[in-house]
Every structure is written in structure tokens, then in C-alpha cells.
Amino acid sequence: TMPPSSACKLPAIKSTMTRGRSYGGSKHPPDEELASWKKRNNVDPGARVFVVEPQGHYPALRKALRARGWVDNTDPQSAHCFNLKWTFRPNKIDYKSLRPGQVVNHFQKSFELCTKEGLGRHLRSAHWYGESKADAFFPRCYDLSVELEDFVSDWRVSCAAAVLERACAGHPDFVTRVELAVRVCTAFLEHKNVLCGDPENEAVAGEDLDAMAAWDEALLSAEEWCILDGQEPGDRASDREPPKTEHLQRLLMSVREVHSQSGVDGSANGWIVKPAGKSRGRGIRCFARLSEILEYTQRGEEQWVVQKYIERPLTVLDRKFDIRQYVLVTSWNPLTIWFYNSSYLRFCAVPFDMDDLSDKFAHL
């Protein structure tokens, strides 16, 4: 039990701790400032007050709140006079000064999940906190500002496998490109230690390659990588026979078994490139060539993510679609999520076609 003398000191200690504290430019606690604001503006003491920033935005939200009896605070100087604050940017919220009963529409550091770069990074680390593995439901994704080398290595394997898949399907290609694809896939399997045992792999099996992190760097020359990328035509010499289809099929099967998420891969080697912090499809493009991806993403100061494109998506009437389901997260501890009863589907305007990655109306 606390001695009486100590108990008597508590109010003084509390007063000392709060004296001079700043509440976003005001020395009055937000609850006192809100009560004072209501009195100055002839607002009922029991009324709920909302602030929307920037002013004039979100007209539907304003209309809905007013219809429910809420009062709109349009004074930019009364920063803490609200029960609800709705703002476009989280940096407009002073989280440290929020009081019980005040609600804002952004969790602190919400950008960690609400940007494409943050979402991808945290999904990849989710396995540290549970049994969930992002590879089971999230196409592999790279932040090009820090994971460019990892992406390039992945692209090279995916491209080589795509060349083999086209060759196995009987699509004509340059012999040189198919041979280069065989070399890349064989080297990849060598470093994964799962060579399929085909005698034709022995020529590459003993090569002294770099560590797995850079297994592909010295594998081909710059010109050969350009041929694999489709920038150079290669050689369709008539005096050279292409590799046997049976060998290509076995090699391709081994790569698909080992390569991450082979279920989303295909013969086009499509990738989708997105600005990390934008929405509504702005800046999103689809590519197959590495040279085009690098040229597009190395302009300006934008941060980019690149993600493996699902080449065999579920379609309705030959059109891609996505499902829009609205949710409201009211707490993260404990996690509380409210689902809106209805959802809707958004369809692409034109039929899906992997042969034309430039048509955004078929892919977005």
C-alpha cells in the first residue's frame, strides 16, 4: 500500500509531467479543445465531429456522415477537434496525440502493407510467424531497388524454360536460342542438385560455375544473353540439328519441378511491372523481354516492383477479371475485420491474349 504522503504527491507529479506538453501545436488536450470548439461554434456537446482532408474531397463520405448527424469541422487550425479524421495521407495524422474515442482512417505505418513493395516484402517474411507461405498464393515479386539481381536470375531461368516449352510444342525457333536455353536450364538444375540424369547433360555438369547467388553471371556472354532475350535473331543454321524433343521435355519437366511457382509460368515468360506506390493501374505495363523491363524501370526516381505474370489465368468468356471485396479493419490487436456483404467483378475490355502484352485492355 502506498503511504499517504506519496499518494498526496501523485497529482503534483502528474501535473509536472503534462505541463507544457504540445498537442500538435496546442497546449490543451484534444478532449478539452474539442469541447471548447463545440462551444465556440454552437455545436451540441454530444454531437460527433469529423474532419476530412484535403478540404472538398470525399463528397460521398461527407454526405453520409452529415446524414447521420455528424458535424463537419472545416477549420484547418483546430487540428484535434474531431471524433473521426479522414485524410488522404497518413502523415497528416498526429498519432501520438490521439485520445480515446478519436478514430482515424490510417493505421500507423500502414504503408508497410498498403504499398506493393511493402506487401510483397512482408508476405515473403510471413513464414517466420506461421505456417503460411506466400509462394502458395502470391506470384513471386521483386523490389527492383534492392532485388534487381535476384529478379534477373529468375527471369533468365523463366525465359530459358519458356523457350524449351515453345520448342517442345513444335513452335519454330532459332537453333542457337534453344541451345542457349538448354545450357541455362542445365546449369540451373546443376546448382539445384537435381540433374535429371540425361546423358546429354554431362557436357555441362562439370562446369565450374559461381555460387548459387550468381550462378548465371558467367554462364553466357553478353551477346548470348541478348539472343536469349530475343534482341538478336541467333542462328538457324541448316547444318545443325536442334536438340531432341525428348531431351527438351525431360529437361523442362525437371526445371518445372524445381523452379519456384512453375504453375504460373508459361511459354511467353510474361512479367508485370508496377510503380510501388501508385494505384488504379497507373504506370503498370506487361513485358516479356528483360531489356524492355530494365529500360522502362530505370527512368526517373520511381520505385518499381516486378511480378511474375500468371500466363494461364481463370477467364470468363475469354476475359480476365478480378474480384473486388471491400473490408474495414477496425483493429489490428486483436485483428478485427468487417466484410461488406456484396462484392463485384471487374472484367477486362477485350479477350485475354498472351501474344500481345502491350494491350492493357486485355491484361488490366
Side-chain angles (χ1 to χ4, degrees), residues 112-113 118-135:
E112 293 287 352
L113 290 179
L119 178 63
R121 183 177 69 253
H122 287 289
L123 283 176
R124 285 195 300 274
S125 63
H127 67 277
W128 293 107
Y129 305 98
E131 298 181 356
S132 176
K133 293 185 178 180
D135 281 351

Side-chain angles (χ1 to χ4, degrees), residues 299-339:
R299 302 176 299 178
E301 302 297 325
E302 191 77 60
Q303 184 178 6
W304 297 89
V305 298
V306 59
Q307 191 168 25
K308 187 64 189 72
Y309 193 51
I310 300 175
E311 299 193 23
R312 292 179 292 272
L314 176 66
T315 60
V316 174
L317 299 178
D318 295 327
R319 283 169 167 79
K320 278 186 62 178
F321 67 95
D322 63 14
I323 302 174
R324 292 297 168 118
Q325 173 68 61
Y326 285 99
V327 300
L328 175 66
V329 181
T330 56
S331 172
W332 62 269
N333 189 18
L335 182 61
T336 306
I337 305 175
W338 299 82
F339 281 76

Side-chain angles (χ1 to χ4, degrees), residues 36-45 71:
S36 176
W37 181 88
K38 288 180 178 180
K39 186 176 182 179
R40 292 196 310 270
N41 290 275
N42 297 318
V43 175
D44 186 278
V71 177

Side-chain angles (χ1 to χ4, degrees), residues 147-359:
E147 298 172 313
L148 179 59
E149 292 183 1
D150 293 338
F151 160 65
V152 171
S153 292
D154 190 346
W155 180 91
R156 286 170 171 171
V157 177
S158 300
C159 179
V163 171
L164 295 188
E165 185 167 323
R166 292 195 298 270
C168 290
H171 296 293
D173 205 336
F174 294 100
V175 175
T176 302
R177 186 171 297 144
V178 177
E179 292 174 339
L180 293 175
V182 169
R183 289 175 58 186
V184 172
C185 290
T186 305
F188 171 72
L189 291 174
E190 167 76 7
H191 282 277
K192 286 292 189 178
N193 198 27
V194 289
L195 278 171
C196 58
D198 193 315
E200 296 190 41
N201 290 339
E202 294 178 359
V204 189
E207 288 189 2
D208 183 18
L209 299 174
D210 297 332
M212 189 61 199
W215 66 270
D216 54 334
E217 283 302 317
L219 182 60
L220 303 181
S221 67
E223 181 182 358
E224 289 173 327
W225 284 123
C226 289
I227 293 174
L228 190 65
D229 187 28
Q231 301 178 56
E232 302 292 339
D235 178 19
R236 200 191 294 267
S238 58
D239 58 341
R240 287 169 39 221
E241 290 290 333
K244 296 180 180 179
T245 302
E246 295 78 6
H247 167 56
L248 299 182
Q249 290 173 339
R250 289 194 296 269
L251 187 59
L252 178 61
M253 183 179 300
S254 297
V255 172
R256 293 296 193 216
E257 290 176 354
V258 176
H259 195 211
S260 175
Q261 296 185 325
S262 60
V264 304
D265 295 339
S267 61
N269 191 32
W271 294 80
I272 185 166
V273 179
K274 315 172 187 179
K278 289 185 178 179
S279 60
R280 306 194 305 276
R282 292 174 294 170
I284 296 180
R285 295 278 301 276
C286 294
F287 298 100
R289 291 183 176 180
L290 177 63
S291 54
E292 294 177 345
I293 295 174
L294 298 180
E295 180 183 4
Y296 184 67
T297 58
Q298 292 178 358
R299 302 176 299 178
E301 302 297 325
E302 191 77 60
Q303 184 178 6
W304 297 89
V305 298
V306 59
Q307 191 168 25
K308 187 64 189 72
Y309 193 51
I310 300 175
E311 299 193 23
R312 292 179 292 272
L314 176 66
T315 60
V316 174
L317 299 178
D318 295 327
R319 283 169 167 79
K320 278 186 62 178
F321 67 95
D322 63 14
I323 302 174
R324 292 297 168 118
Q325 173 68 61
Y326 285 99
V327 300
L328 175 66
V329 181
T330 56
S331 172
W332 62 269
N333 189 18
L335 182 61
T336 306
I337 305 175
W338 299 82
F339 281 76
Y340 192 66
N341 286 333
S342 301
S343 59
Y344 68 93
L345 275 61
R346 296 198 319 169
F347 286 84
C348 286
V350 299
F352 177 74
D353 182 9
M354 278 302 299
D355 293 331
D356 184 6
L357 292 177
S358 64
D359 188 351

